[in-house]
Amino acid sequence: MADPTGFLKYDREEPKKKSKEDRLATWGEVYADVEPGERNEQVRKQASRCMDCGIPFCHSGGSGCPLGNLIPEWNDLVRRGDWAAASDRLHATNNFPEFTGKLCPAPCEAGCVLSISPLSGGPVSIKRVEQTIADQSWEAGYVQPQVSAVSSGQRVAVVGSGPAGLAAAQQLTRAGHEVTVFERDDRLGGLLRYGIPEFKMEKKVLDRRLAQLRKEGTKFVTGCEVGVDLTVEELRAEYDAVVLAVGALRGRDDKTTPGRELAGIHLAMEHLVPANKYVEGDGPSPVDAAGKHVVIIGGGDTGADSYGTATRQGALSVTQLDQYPTPPSTRDDERSPWPTWPYILRTYPAHEEAGERKFAVAVTRFIGDDEGNVRAVELRQVRVVKDPETGKRMVTPVNDEVEELPADLVLLAIGFEGVEHMPLLDGLGLSLTQRGTLSCGADWQTSSPGVFVCGDAHRGASLVVWAIAEGRSVASAVDAYLTGASDLPAPVHPTALPLAVV
């Protein structure tokens, strides 16, 4: 059984990072390399803090992990040093724990019983344990291709190679179906490849897992936009089922602020994608922060990714703007009681390296030079209020003070509006919801028979852990559609939502 006093013996400990100078000198991951034996011993102590609670909210889909990761079980296996069994238990619910261990914000830790009170020393460092199990699994050779012993004779097309598409493809391939993943980009991975900077996850981690999928029998086609290069008629004729995992990449823009037309103002993805291609060896980025004053509008993950990318490109300054006030440093039980996801200030490694953040401010005007390039932004202090009748948010200046901030490059990281408009959807007769997503029934099937949807295309821009959970679930639905029944796990229902205070 677990050690019920482990959290009293050991403090929560995060992995050590490289020095700021070393981080900014390379595109590599920010965490320091630790000898595996020392790393494993550190993590065994962290796993000992888990009490194996009677009701483990950490792996509850509503308040913790939507994958249903059996967290107390693999925590105890790590505590006892049984890394092989821990790997089996982790991979039983998560196809790609190295992705979630690096990229997931860990709702499981927010649902940990030890996060109820700061007096406990903080939640179990679940994400660190998960990542270490994944690392040890590859190092010890526990991860091997799982080739199906039988073939169903059924063919499935998966459109999109992000985490949802890859999870669906792997599950369906292992179930004996012939699966082909189509990707319109030149390389596989979707946002994992071109949206996530190298300093958050090195792409060799992705390539290693893709090699496993190939050995299992999954086929991949890159540089192919389904609906254009492969027509819908050809798609329907060649495949018995189709999974749409096309993401929600339509970036939200701001066309109302005066000066938006100036050169040097871009959506954040127009900065991140070519920067990642540069790291892949594709040559200089056309949107480069080198020698520029950079202003990032938006306080979320995408903004932080652009922040770290700009500093590594050699920006003169980086300022990230958020229209909301500075969040509290600890959980406000009235606003976000345990075990909901807490509204707190989240500081990413990029924020520790350079630059600054400004809260409760908004850009009221982009200021240009004589040649039509942005040179500054005009800021006002603001308050965000919700209209009680319509529910719409209104951003209102709180005074007449105006601040002018130098800006040679402005990046808009203000969210995503949903699935991009594409010929594929028109050919399948599918339309988007008001949220810009694709709807489906309880069986994950769209209104077009035999066509299924999962991931951000269905949910809207969300977390990597939700993408994998939906990919696994849609695989079960497709398997049942093709064969009449399925033993594949389905961790989430299409209507599943995380626990939240409305």
Side-chain angles (χ1 to χ4, degrees):
M1 63 174 289
D3 182 354
T5 63
F7 77 98
L8 298 173
K9 299 175 185 176
Y10 305 111
D11 295 329
R12 175 182 168 91
E13 187 177 348
E14 298 287 359
K16 297 292 188 295
K17 302 184 187 75
K18 299 173 184 174
S19 69
K20 296 176 184 178
E21 293 75 19
D22 288 344
R23 281 145 63 178
L24 294 178
T26 177
W27 288 95
E29 291 185 13
V30 302
Y31 292 101
D33 294 326
V34 181
E35 190 275 323
E38 179 184 353
R39 175 203 65 201
N40 292 358
E41 186 57 33
Q42 290 175 359
V43 171
R44 284 183 62 184
K45 292 178 180 178
Q46 293 304 301
S48 298
R49 300 183 72 244
C50 177
M51 298 182 292
D52 191 12
C53 303
I55 301 177
F57 285 84
C58 58
H59 71 210
S60 161
S63 61
C65 179
L67 278 168
N69 279 334
L70 303 172
I71 294 166
E73 295 187 28
W74 42 258
N75 272 335
D76 191 52
L77 290 167
V78 168
R79 180 183 71 89
R80 293 189 274 126
D82 192 343
W83 294 95
S87 176
D88 286 343
R89 190 66 90 249
L90 177 56
H91 280 92
T93 56
N94 188 351
N95 297 68
F96 314 124
E98 64 272 35
F99 300 169
T100 52
K102 293 178 183 293
L103 305 176
C104 182
C108 53
E109 294 188 9
C112 176
V113 167
L114 291 179
S115 69
I116 294 177
S117 169
L119 297 177
S120 70
V124 175
S125 52
I126 299 169
K127 180 176 175 177
R128 185 181 181 189
V129 177
E130 177 182 39
Q131 180 59 54
T132 304
I133 296 172
D135 289 342
Q136 178 66 17
S137 297
W138 286 102
E139 292 162 5
Y142 302 146
V143 180
Q144 295 295 328
Q146 298 180 29
V147 181
S148 176
V150 297
S151 173
S152 70
Q154 306 276 3
R155 305 186 72 204
V156 181
V158 176
V159 185
S161 66
L166 292 178
Q170 184 166 62
Q171 292 293 95
L172 287 166
T173 298
R174 290 175 174 179
H177 305 298
E178 183 181 332
V179 180
T180 301
V181 177
F182 292 93
E183 172 57 59
R184 67 182 179 182
D185 285 333
D186 57 340
R187 296 183 179 91
L188 298 167
L191 280 182
L192 292 174
R193 173 76 63 183
Y194 288 141
I196 301 298
E198 187 84 351
F199 56 83
K200 285 180 67 175
M201 188 181 80
E202 295 176 357
K203 300 310 174 285
K204 64 183 181 183
V205 173
L206 171 60
D207 293 334
R208 180 177 60 187
R209 188 62 79 169
L210 289 170
Q212 181 200 28
L213 268 72
R214 285 191 174 95
K215 290 178 181 177
E216 292 174 345
T218 301
K219 298 181 175 65
F220 295 96
V221 178
T222 57
C224 177
E225 182 172 357
V226 180
V228 178
D229 303 305
L230 176 71
T231 68
V232 171
E233 291 74 22
E234 292 170 331
L235 178 74
R236 294 299 240 161
E238 294 181 23
Y239 295 93
D240 301 292
V242 177
V243 176
L244 301 180
V246 295
L249 298 175
R250 184 155 44 94
R252 182 174 291 118
D253 204 340
D254 173 19
K255 300 292 189 180
T256 60
T257 302
R260 171 61 182 91
E261 74 284 353
L262 292 169
I265 304 174
H266 301 270
L267 299 183
M269 294 306 295
E270 296 171 358
H271 174 236
L272 287 173
V273 171
N276 278 303
K277 288 190 173 186
Y278 164 77
V279 178
E280 293 271 9
D282 289 354
S285 168
V287 184
D288 198 326
K292 296 177 181 178
H293 295 288
V294 180
V295 171
I296 301 167
I297 302 175
D301 284 10
T302 304
D305 292 345
S306 288
Y307 193 118
T309 299
T311 56
R312 282 161 178 76
Q313 288 177 329
L316 287 178
S317 69
V318 180
T319 307
Q320 186 174 13
L321 310 179
D322 194 326
Q323 63 188 5
Y324 293 99
T326 307
S329 57
T330 57
R331 184 196 293 267
D332 180 347
D333 288 330
E334 292 187 4
R335 178 166 186 164
S336 52
W338 179 87
T340 61
W341 182 246
Y343 175 69
I344 58 174
L345 178 65
R346 303 185 188 281
T347 299
Y348 297 83
H351 295 135
E352 305 166 350
E353 296 165 355
E356 65 173 323
R357 289 187 281 179
K358 290 179 178 290
F359 293 92
V361 295
V363 174
T364 56
R365 184 166 68 100
F366 298 108
I367 304 170
D369 61 17
D370 294 336
E371 298 178 356
N373 301 304
V374 66
R375 67 168 182 81
V377 296
E378 186 177 275
L379 295 182
R380 297 277 297 275
Q381 293 180 333
V382 297
R383 178 176 62 251
V384 181
V385 296
K386 183 181 290 187
D387 187 311
E389 294 183 3
T390 65
K392 293 185 64 175
R393 293 179 299 123
M394 298 181 294
V395 182
T396 308
V398 298
N399 56 43
D400 294 329
E401 295 181 10
V402 176
E403 177 185 1
E404 187 174 304
L405 192 68
D408 308 306
L409 175 63
V410 176
L411 303 172
L412 304 179
I414 52 179
F416 296 88
E417 292 187 336
V419 178
E420 293 176 308
H421 301 291
M422 55 185 72
L424 171 61
L425 303 185
D426 296 333
L428 292 171
L430 298 177
S431 57
L432 301 179
T433 67
Q434 289 185 337
R435 297 178 53 247
T437 59
L438 291 167
S439 60
C440 65
D443 61 352
W444 298 91
Q445 194 167 186
T446 68
S447 58
S448 182
V451 178
F452 300 75
V453 65
C454 65
D456 287 359
H458 162 256
R459 175 169 293 274
S462 187
L463 308 179
V464 62
V465 68
W466 277 99
I468 297 172
E470 292 210 356
R472 288 172 65 87
S473 298
V474 84
S476 178
V478 172
D479 188 35
Y481 170 79
L482 295 174
T483 65
S486 180
D487 292 328
L488 293 177
V492 293
H493 187 271
T495 60
L497 294 172
L499 184 67
V501 177
V502 179

